[in-house]
Amino acid sequence: QVQLVESGGGLVQPGGSLRLSCAATGFIIRLYYMRWYRQAPGKERELVASIPPGGWTTNYADSVKGRFTISRDNAENTVYLQMTRLNLEALAVYYCKAGAPSPGGFGYWGQGTKVPVSS
């Protein structure tokens, strides 16, 4: 079955770091753009980072640029999000998505992992 499973979320202090992972089963992520989204309480889901099938480039939201790094290991069928210098704005549920070149297009979604930033 097609499935994306995020892991690595957990409580972290402001200024701390976490690495999230997203492991795929049932399909090959090498064929897909991979993206990370986050949804803060009471707010809309927003695109945080994206990486194309071959990993030749990356894109980030201005709010996380310079602090977050998206990467992929196609051989392991896994995508990562390294997060550093976390602030309270990072408090959210983080989701990965395998999709088309357009962010709003077709995609497979994971169930999400929480990043509760607290002092």
Side-chain angles (χ1 to χ4, degrees):
Q1 60 182 10
V2 172
Q3 190 173 9
L4 289 169
V5 179
E6 302 96 334
S7 62
L11 181 64
V12 62
Q13 294 182 351
S17 300
L18 282 175
R19 190 173 85 147
L20 307 181
S21 63
C22 174
T25 58
F27 72 104
I28 304 300
I29 70 164
R30 184 182 64 84
L31 303 176
Y32 294 88
Y33 280 72
M34 300 300 296
R35 297 179 172 91
W36 285 95
Y37 295 76
R38 68 183 179 187
Q39 187 167 23
K43 297 185 178 181
E44 298 292 325
R45 187 174 298 183
E46 64 175 344
L47 176 62
V48 171
S50 64
I51 186 168
W56 54 81
T57 189
T58 56
N59 289 100
Y60 301 94
D62 289 341
S63 59
V64 306
K65 197 171 298 182
R67 298 185 296 111
F68 288 15
T69 302
I70 186 173
S71 62
R72 64 191 300 154
D73 188 333
N74 289 336
E76 295 187 3
N77 225 31
T78 302
V79 180
Y80 304 93
L81 184 68
Q82 179 67 52
M83 305 183 293
T84 62
R85 296 191 292 114
L86 289 168
N87 54 36
L88 293 178
E89 296 176 354
L91 172 67
V93 177
Y94 286 74
Y95 302 86
C96 68
K97 178 187 178 183
S102 175
F106 165 84
Y108 299 115
W109 289 89
Q111 297 301 303
T113 186
K114 290 184 178 180
V115 179
V117 182
S118 176
S119 62

